[in-house]
Amino acid sequence: QSWTRGMSDCLHPGSDLDTGPIYVRENGQLHVVHQGAGGIWSVTPRARPFRLFSRGFSVELCMNREDDRARRQRTDHFIFTYTKEGNLRYSAKSLFSLVLGYISDNVDHIDSLIGFPEQIAEKLFSAAEARQKFTEPVTGLRALQKFTEAYGSLVLCSLCLRNRYLVISEKLEEIKSFRELTCLDLSCCKLGDEHELLEHLTKEALSSVKRLLLKDNSLSDAGLRRMTAPVRVLKKGLENLLVLDLSCNPKITDVGIGYLLSFKKLNCLDISGTGLKDVNAVIKRIQTQIGLVHSKVPLKEFDHSNCKTEGWAEQTVLQWEQAVMEAIKPQDDLRSRTAALRFYGKTHRIDEVVKCKVAETETKASGNLQFYKEKVQNCHLPLKKEVAGSHELKNNKKRALAEQERERTSKQKHLCLTVEDWDLLNTY
């Protein structure tokens, strides 16, 4: 007891006041050293050194513990390395890295990026992309729109969605948010005339498109009429179009080709595999009205490998595609059901890739209907310049001038629109 009293006096030197009970924890047991005034003293006879933490105690540096997923994806504020001796060494990240990480985690809350430096915005976009912020359903679209509004073609200047109908269905709003695209490949997507994305092509946000590939999309004359209405009447929409691929759309007839004559800036046109009735008349009409010559050999402009996804959001589009592929993976287990359908004599839906190959085969059988402008012929490979006499060239120029004069005199006739045309134009 004298030892415990001495300990109490050491804890409270020069004070006779009662400090209340004092506890000591040892080996998982709690012992009362002092119970207060008139209390009972109880202490173990052997004293042990005091330890603040147990031997197995560990500390984890965490932030924003409410969002566990974001916490797992985000790296810590320290960079851990090893020295030559094998010792663990850590150093704090730069303030710029910390701020960049914080903003990218909350990128959907940004009000606007207009006027923000492009170099910093690109790093911010990459940081948000690494955290897969643009794949989230609602917040991802809102964050992507902030970048596309401020930087346009830097986010994405070329987009290839060839045979990616599922990506278009799942990420339609995100795709519509891209601005100032110069190349867009929607081949083999079976969109049809009424698809929302085709209507979006006529908007001002995509007036910069110069290369449009719509091969094998189940288009008809009605779809071409809707797509060309702003150009024909309002002089807006796809007025800057240079390359247009409409091959493998058998529902397009001679009437639909007439709508394409409003694209005065066209340098290359592919209408192979369409449902033309009078091919020679269409070839002559295209040559006289928009100055395109029928090519005897395939043009490199319609090689779909030339159109690739390019820009800051290139990896974002790949993330969308991977997410869609992971979502349809369980369908691979339906092979037994397909085998059962075959056993009972039923047919199943053919894959889109096979359909596209069939359409290409039909195109080869029907012949090549690709057109180019002679002024830019040197840009096309492997074109062979056809030798023509000067007399024939003069006649072609005379016919073109006569056709232009005829168009001027019949201008009033072309402006006579149907009720459907007026209803369509009222939507813009």
Side-chain angles (χ1 to χ4, degrees), residues 118-187:
E118 298 175 358
Q119 295 81 358
I120 307 300
E122 183 178 2
K123 294 181 180 180
L124 179 60
F125 188 93
S126 300
E129 187 179 57
R131 292 162 169 78
Q132 296 187 355
K133 288 293 182 179
F134 302 119
T135 59
E136 298 176 1
V138 180
T139 59
L141 173 60
R142 185 164 58 245
L144 186 62
Q145 288 175 344
K146 301 300 179 182
F147 284 95
T148 55
E149 290 174 359
Y151 305 103
S153 60
L154 291 178
V155 178
L156 209 65
C157 62
S158 178
L159 178 59
C160 179
L161 295 174
R162 176 182 171 89
N163 206 14
R164 301 289 192 277
Y165 180 76
L166 292 178
V167 178
I168 295 175
S169 300
E170 294 294 329
K171 298 295 180 179
L172 178 59
E173 295 300 324
E174 285 81 354
I175 294 172
K176 289 169 59 177
S177 67
F178 292 123
R179 297 168 176 260
E180 301 179 12
L181 289 174
T182 57
C183 180
L184 181 59
D185 189 351
L186 299 174
S187 303

Side-chain angles (χ1 to χ4, degrees), residues 310-340:
E310 298 177 357
W312 296 352
E314 179 179 353
Q315 294 298 323
T316 303
V317 177
L318 292 178
Q319 290 176 359
W320 294 346
E321 185 176 350
Q322 291 175 358
V324 171
M325 295 303 295
E326 291 178 358
I328 64 175
K329 271 185 178 180
Q331 295 183 2
D332 295 339
D333 300 333
L334 299 179
R335 295 179 179 177
S336 58
R337 184 181 301 177
T338 304

Side-chain angles (χ1 to χ4, degrees), residues 99-343:
V99 174
L100 191 68
Y102 178 79
I103 297 177
S104 60
D105 287 330
N106 301 276
V107 67
D108 56 300
H109 297 292
I110 296 177
D111 292 334
S112 177
L113 288 169
I114 298 177
F116 200 68
E118 298 175 358
Q119 295 81 358
I120 307 300
E122 183 178 2
K123 294 181 180 180
L124 179 60
F125 188 93
S126 300
E129 187 179 57
R131 292 162 169 78
Q132 296 187 355
K133 288 293 182 179
F134 302 119
T135 59
E136 298 176 1
V138 180
T139 59
L141 173 60
R142 185 164 58 245
L144 186 62
Q145 288 175 344
K146 301 300 179 182
F147 284 95
T148 55
E149 290 174 359
Y151 305 103
S153 60
L154 291 178
V155 178
L156 209 65
C157 62
S158 178
L159 178 59
C160 179
L161 295 174
R162 176 182 171 89
N163 206 14
R164 301 289 192 277
Y165 180 76
L166 292 178
V167 178
I168 295 175
S169 300
E170 294 294 329
K171 298 295 180 179
L172 178 59
E173 295 300 324
E174 285 81 354
I175 294 172
K176 289 169 59 177
S177 67
F178 292 123
R179 297 168 176 260
E180 301 179 12
L181 289 174
T182 57
C183 180
L184 181 59
D185 189 351
L186 299 174
S187 303
C188 306
C189 288
K190 306 292 184 182
L191 299 179
D193 296 330
E194 304 295 332
H195 199 277
E196 188 176 350
L197 184 56
L198 290 179
E199 182 181 354
H200 180 65
L201 291 177
T202 61
K203 304 298 182 182
E204 185 178 358
L206 292 182
S207 61
S208 59
V209 173
K210 297 182 179 180
R211 180 183 175 92
L212 181 59
L213 307 179
L214 294 173
K215 178 180 181 180
D216 191 17
N217 268 289
S218 303
L219 297 177
S220 65
D221 297 340
L224 295 186
R225 183 180 65 85
R226 293 173 58 88
M227 191 173 63
T228 59
V231 181
R232 288 186 286 116
V233 182
L234 303 177
K235 304 301 179 183
K236 296 182 180 179
L238 298 171
E239 57 180 351
N240 297 316
L241 199 61
L242 299 178
V243 179
L244 179 60
D245 185 2
L246 293 172
S247 59
C248 304
N249 290 288
K251 295 182 180 180
I252 296 178
T253 64
D254 306 41
V255 178
I257 301 301
Y259 298 130
L260 302 178
L261 302 179
S262 58
F263 294 135
K264 301 298 182 181
K265 296 183 181 181
L266 267 184
N267 289 335
C268 298
L269 175 65
D270 190 357
I271 54 175
S272 306
T274 54
L276 302 181
K277 298 180 181 179
D278 192 347
V279 177
N280 294 329
V282 171
I283 293 176
K284 184 178 179 180
R285 190 178 181 185
I286 292 175
Q287 181 174 356
T288 55
Q289 295 194 22
I290 55 179
L292 298 182
V293 181
H294 182 214
S295 176
K296 302 299 181 182
V297 294
L299 304 177
K300 73 179 182 65
E301 277 72 16
F302 302 108
D303 183 6
H304 294 264
S305 61
N306 294 333
C307 184
K308 300 178 181 179
T309 303
E310 298 177 357
W312 296 352
E314 179 179 353
Q315 294 298 323
T316 303
V317 177
L318 292 178
Q319 290 176 359
W320 294 346
E321 185 176 350
Q322 291 175 358
V324 171
M325 295 303 295
E326 291 178 358
I328 64 175
K329 271 185 178 180
Q331 295 183 2
D332 295 339
D333 300 333
L334 299 179
R335 295 179 179 177
S336 58
R337 184 181 301 177
T338 304
L341 291 176
R342 291 178 180 176
F343 177 80

Side-chain angles (χ1 to χ4, degrees), residues 2 27 136 183 231 368 383:
S2 62
N27 296 330
E136 298 176 1
C183 180
V231 181
N368 179 47
L383 283 181

Side-chain angles (χ1 to χ4, degrees), residues 315-427:
Q315 294 298 323
T316 303
V317 177
L318 292 178
Q319 290 176 359
W320 294 346
E321 185 176 350
Q322 291 175 358
V324 171
M325 295 303 295
E326 291 178 358
I328 64 175
K329 271 185 178 180
Q331 295 183 2
D332 295 339
D333 300 333
L334 299 179
R335 295 179 179 177
S336 58
R337 184 181 301 177
T338 304
L341 291 176
R342 291 178 180 176
F343 177 80
Y344 290 105
K346 298 181 180 180
T347 58
H348 61 282
R349 186 174 60 86
I350 304 176
D351 294 337
E352 296 293 335
V353 179
V354 179
K355 289 184 179 181
C356 192
K357 291 182 179 179
V358 172
E360 291 177 356
T361 305
E362 293 177 355
T363 302
K364 293 180 180 179
S366 61
N368 179 47
L369 287 178
Q370 295 181 352
F371 299 84
Y372 68 95
K373 188 166 290 186
E374 287 182 321
K375 295 180 181 179
V376 291
Q377 181 183 2
N378 295 331
C379 300
H380 308 316
L381 294 175
L383 283 181
K384 298 179 180 179
K385 187 175 182 180
E386 300 177 359
V387 180
S390 59
H391 182 69
E392 184 179 354
L393 293 176
K394 291 181 180 180
N395 291 336
N396 291 338
K397 291 182 179 179
K398 290 181 180 180
R399 284 195 296 267
L401 293 175
E403 187 66 27
Q404 292 178 1
E405 186 65 25
R406 194 178 301 111
E407 288 183 358
R408 292 193 190 99
T409 56
S410 60
K411 183 178 181 180
Q412 186 176 2
K413 179 180 178 181
H414 289 290
L415 291 178
C416 295
L417 303 177
T418 62
V419 178
E420 295 179 354
D421 285 335
W422 283 114
D423 294 338
L424 178 61
L425 292 175
N426 288 332
T427 62

